[in-house]
Amino acid sequence: MTRDDDDLAALKAALKAGPAADPAARAAALTRAMEAFENSAPATQGTASAARSNPDRPEGAGFWDGVRSMFDALKLRPVLAATTSAAALAVGVFILLPQAQVGLPTAIAPQTDSAPVNPAAADETVEAEVVATEPPGATVAPTSRKLVAEPSPMAQATPGEEAAAGSRAALAAPADAPMAESFAADMAAPVIVGTPAPEPMLRQQENTETFANAPANPVKITAEAPVSTFSIDLDTASYAIVRSALTGGFLPDPEAVRVEEMVNYFPFTLPPPAADEGPFRPTISVMPTPWNPGTRLVQIALQGRLPVINDRPPLNLVFLIDTSGSMDEPNKLPLLKQSLGLMLSELRPEDQVAIVAYAGSAGEVLPPTAAADRAAIMGALDRLAAGGSTAGAEGLELAYQTAARMAGDGEVSRILLATDGDFNVGIYDPEGLEGYIARKRDSGIYLSILGFGRGNLDDAVMQSLAQSGNGTASYIDTLQEARKVLVDQLTGALFPIADDVKIQVEWNPAAVAEYRLIGYETRALNREDFNNDAVDAGEIGAGHAVTAIYEVTAPGSDALQNDPLRYGQAGAAQGATGELGFLRLRWKAPGEEVSTLLETPISADAPANEEAQFAAAIAGFGQLLRGSVYLNDWGWDQAIALAEANRGQDAFGYRIEAVNLMRLAKALSAQ
């Protein structure tokens, strides 16, 4: 047996034979130690003497003598509890890193940047992004969750108070607790660098995103419900949200997919209205359904007139900007500033801009300023910083007051609300807020919404406010998307040419036994709403186009979803030869209260070009993402092939981007 083995055996024996702990002696020792610490000279605190050699120490015994000394020092369990809590602050910690995709195991990596604890910053909240692992087949939120470390009450203590608190905690430990249990309990306490509290409490922030959607429209029997009525929709937020999810590495929440918004994201080449026609012109196309050879697709597209830019009236624009704490992310407030900066180049010298910001309380950051004073506007934007809660209702009220103050005869007043949708202060009655916005809409001040960021995006509120305000809802995930919405399509977004546009189709039961409207679930209207001018509907902006798609089934087709009634009406259905149905359109000129009616038949032989084919591909794309039950065996390969073959003119690259997103969705669906 070596000398090292002898020393180890002796050490074990000594530990087993050690005297029982004396609580009174322990308390006295701690008292003397505290008195010695408090009476020591300040100049000597924090100094260390150089190590001295010990000629009496035998060679090779230094390690075991050190171990013996260490255990002698650790015999007092309370001292251990106090010292390990302090020492733990210097220990490197593990943090949870965000994952690129929901469903992957959470990665754990060591924290390598060990900064000294700063007592002045002790009250700051430290966040660590995580992604929750979901069971196979579960519907998961498209963004990560967060674990937030909350500082303990000790976080505000001075260094001296912390030491005393640590000693009091040690004295409070049960006297009969084994030393190993005390050591394990202290070491198990989670520690985060930068937070002096040894035991921060972790709370989980769930993804709070909500989306405005409804179950997919069902197949309807023409004989029972021959009339279909809905409001047009020019919002495009859903497509950008889908793109954000796919490029982030996960499939979007099916509730985030609104098929009509995906189709209407793309500019289509359609015949413009003639000089003697109204503000828009309808185009009808009929084609075989790609996913069902027994049915046909009927596309109804409306192309708005694009007036000469110089002929438009002066614009009074209020930027209503969310500067709450939730906007303090790179893809929120910083991207918002860049996006609005792009827009300024499209404004004319006679236009005016004002900026209202809200967070906790609302305030006017920039009074009405000529659009030509770009330096003043950009300076006000650059000074914005995120912080506080979100007083959304108060901000809206101030923005409307500012817009009303700017308004002049013949001028257009618009509010552009830029937010992540996290309205957590001031909106106690959403329906009351919608009514307030609707009343302001009647005064001629329209409201449009720009959404930014993910995680707490309240798409449902954004959609509701935009619809109540006669505006559009867009989602900005990239600077390129900001250019599309705020530069390329600015005129259409801010200058409507037709208000309260409603579509009604009466299907001919002799030619159409069943039909279903693809999308527009949130825009459905009652049949009687079509003739009621008091019912609000969507708007068409200058130069904008809007497309709606029906899938129709002829009588006797193998693709019919419903069996004929045993006691159905006798005799064959009657209808005009060659007509699938009859289209009615209603709209109001901006500022008017009485609508205009346009009627035209839907011909069974209306031609379909590559524009219609590409729209069908995007409609299929959206239905695949929603998990539609109407696509049969048609899948990603067929959608990609159809879109790629009908890209046509793609000056801005939107269509090839859609093809690439389909490829990405296919790969993610296979995981």
Side-chain angles (χ1 to χ4, degrees):
M1 181 177 293
T2 63
R3 180 170 183 174
D4 288 349
D5 294 333
D6 292 338
D7 288 343
L8 180 57
L11 175 60
K12 292 180 178 179
L15 289 174
K16 292 180 180 179
D22 185 349
R26 178 161 56 278
L30 281 174
T31 301
R32 290 194 298 274
M34 291 299 298
E35 291 175 353
F37 175 80
E38 293 172 356
N39 295 332
S40 59
T44 65
Q45 299 302 312
T47 61
S49 302
R52 294 179 296 177
S53 60
N54 184 358
D56 298 328
R57 178 182 301 153
E59 184 179 355
F63 171 77
W64 297 113
D65 288 345
V67 171
R68 184 180 294 107
S69 298
M70 178 187 72
F71 276 95
D72 287 339
L74 295 181
K75 286 180 181 178
L76 290 179
R77 179 176 44 76
V79 176
L80 171 65
T83 55
T84 53
S85 296
L89 295 176
V91 177
V93 298
F94 290 84
I95 64 172
L96 301 175
L97 296 179
Q99 298 300 304
Q101 179 181 353
V102 172
L104 291 179
T106 303
I108 302 178
Q111 173 69 33
T112 55
D113 297 328
S114 56
V117 173
N118 179 8
D123 60 340
E124 295 181 359
T125 298
V126 180
E127 296 188 355
E129 296 270 348
V130 304
V131 176
T133 302
E134 302 287 349
T139 300
V140 295
T143 54
S144 63
R145 299 180 175 93
K146 292 181 179 179
L147 289 180
V148 180
E150 298 177 342
S152 74
M154 288 179 61
Q156 304 295 331
T158 63
E161 292 171 342
E162 290 177 7
S167 297
R168 290 191 296 269
L171 289 171
D176 56 348
M179 176 168 40
E181 293 180 4
S182 177
F183 182 87
D186 280 348
M187 291 306 295
V191 179
I192 297 182
V193 173
T195 303
E199 297 184 10
M201 299 298 295
L202 296 181
R203 58 181 173 86
Q204 192 177 51
Q205 287 185 343
E206 294 290 342
N207 181 345
T208 60
E209 290 188 339
T210 59
F211 299 100
N213 216 326
N217 290 319
V219 172
K220 294 189 176 183
I221 301 174
T222 306
E224 298 175 358
V227 178
S228 171
T229 308
F230 63 97
S231 163
I232 64 99
D233 186 4
L234 279 174
D235 296 342
T236 60
S238 181
Y239 181 87
I241 291 173
V242 166
R243 178 181 59 207
S244 172
L246 292 174
T247 55
F250 51 87
L251 293 170
D253 185 335
E255 289 298 307
V257 181
R258 293 183 289 272
V259 178
E260 74 278 4
E261 293 188 22
M262 296 188 66
V263 172
N264 288 319
Y265 179 85
F266 300 89
F268 292 103
T269 303
L270 299 169
D276 58 346
E277 291 182 327
F280 54 83
R281 177 180 179 178
T283 298
I284 299 173
S285 303
V286 180
M287 57 180 283
T289 304
W291 48 84
N292 192 343
T295 66
R296 286 180 287 182
L297 294 184
V298 177
Q299 297 187 24
I300 301 170
L302 308 179
Q303 175 62 57
R305 186 190 308 279
L306 180 62
V308 178
I309 299 299
N310 293 332
D311 292 342
R312 70 170 173 80
L315 173 65
N316 300 312
L317 184 62
V318 179
F319 291 156
L320 176 56
I321 301 177
D322 181 354
T323 55
S324 62
S326 63
M327 292 290 289
D328 191 16
E329 296 181 20
N331 62 344
K332 293 187 179 181
L333 187 58
L335 179 58
L336 185 158
K337 294 179 182 179
Q338 291 179 300
S339 301
L340 296 182
L342 292 177
M343 183 182 184
L344 296 181
S345 62
E346 298 302 303
L347 302 180
R348 298 185 301 169
E350 56 267 34
D351 298 333
Q352 289 190 91
V353 173
I355 300 177
V356 173
Y358 63 94
S361 60
E364 189 176 83
V365 176
L366 179 73
T369 302
D373 194 353
R374 183 183 177 91
I377 298 171
M378 289 303 302
L381 286 173
D382 290 340
R383 289 192 296 272
L384 295 176
S389 56
T390 312
E394 185 178 349
L396 281 170
E397 184 177 6
L398 181 57
Y400 276 113
Q401 293 174 359
T402 303
R405 193 170 74 247
M406 299 167 67
D409 291 340
E411 298 179 349
V412 174
S413 297
R414 298 289 181 264
I415 296 174
L416 196 60
L417 168 58
T419 177
D420 63 357
D422 185 19
F423 294 92
N424 51 37
V425 173
I427 297 184
Y428 304 105
D429 181 10
E431 293 184 0
L433 183 62
E434 293 171 15
Y436 172 78
I437 294 173
R439 291 191 295 273
K440 295 299 183 180
R441 171 194 72 205
D442 295 338
S443 70
I445 302 175
Y446 291 2
L447 171 72
S448 290
I449 311 289
L450 298 178
F452 289 83
R454 301 298 302 273
N456 54 357
L457 182 70
D458 198 334
D459 172 79
V461 170
M462 290 169 51
Q463 292 287 323
S464 176
L465 298 186
Q467 291 182 19
S468 298
N470 268 15
T472 58
S474 303
Y475 174 74
I476 308 296
D477 58 334
T478 65
L479 199 58
Q480 180 64 28
E481 182 67 12
R483 175 175 178 80
K484 177 181 183 293
V485 172
L486 298 176
V487 177
D488 299 339
Q489 299 175 347
L490 175 65
T491 301
L494 299 179
F495 297 93
I497 58 176
D499 287 347
D500 294 340
V501 182
K502 304 171 187 175
I503 294 179
Q504 186 172 82
V505 178
E506 179 185 351
W507 296 106
N508 176 11
V512 176
E514 295 175 344
Y515 68 90
R516 71 179 179 99
L517 176 61
I518 302 175
Y520 289 94
E521 287 85 2
T522 63
R523 292 283 190 165
L525 296 175
N526 297 322
R527 180 175 176 177
E528 63 270 19
D529 293 339
F530 183 76
N531 292 322
N532 187 350
D533 286 344
V535 175
D536 182 53
E539 287 66 46
I540 291 183
H544 272 179
V546 59
T547 298
I549 302 176
Y550 284 92
E551 182 177 358
V552 302
T553 310
S557 171
D558 293 338
L560 287 172
Q561 298 286 319
N562 297 277
D563 295 328
L565 295 176
R566 176 181 178 86
Y567 304 106
Q569 295 179 349
Q574 301 296 319
T577 303
E579 287 186 9
L580 294 178
F582 198 70
L583 171 66
R584 297 181 179 91
L585 300 169
R586 278 198 180 274
W587 79 93
K588 299 174 185 174
E592 299 293 329
E593 296 183 359
V594 179
S595 65
T596 300
L597 175 65
L598 171 66
E599 298 178 318
T600 185
I602 299 175
S603 173
D605 57 358
N609 56 18
E610 65 180 5
E611 296 288 277
Q613 297 278 355
F614 185 81
I618 299 302
F621 180 20
Q623 291 178 93
L624 284 169
L625 291 174
R626 291 203 69 175
S628 174
V629 299
Y630 299 112
L631 299 182
N632 299 315
D633 295 331
W634 197 80
W636 291 112
D637 290 335
Q638 291 81 6
I640 293 168
L642 182 62
E644 204 163 31
N646 294 279
R647 281 171 48 198
Q649 296 295 322
D650 190 20
F652 299 103
Y654 301 144
R655 299 189 180 191
I656 188 59
E657 177 190 62
V659 173
N660 289 330
L661 289 178
M662 290 182 191
R663 293 192 178 106
L664 188 53
K666 174 188 174 182
L668 293 172
S669 299
Q671 293 183 356

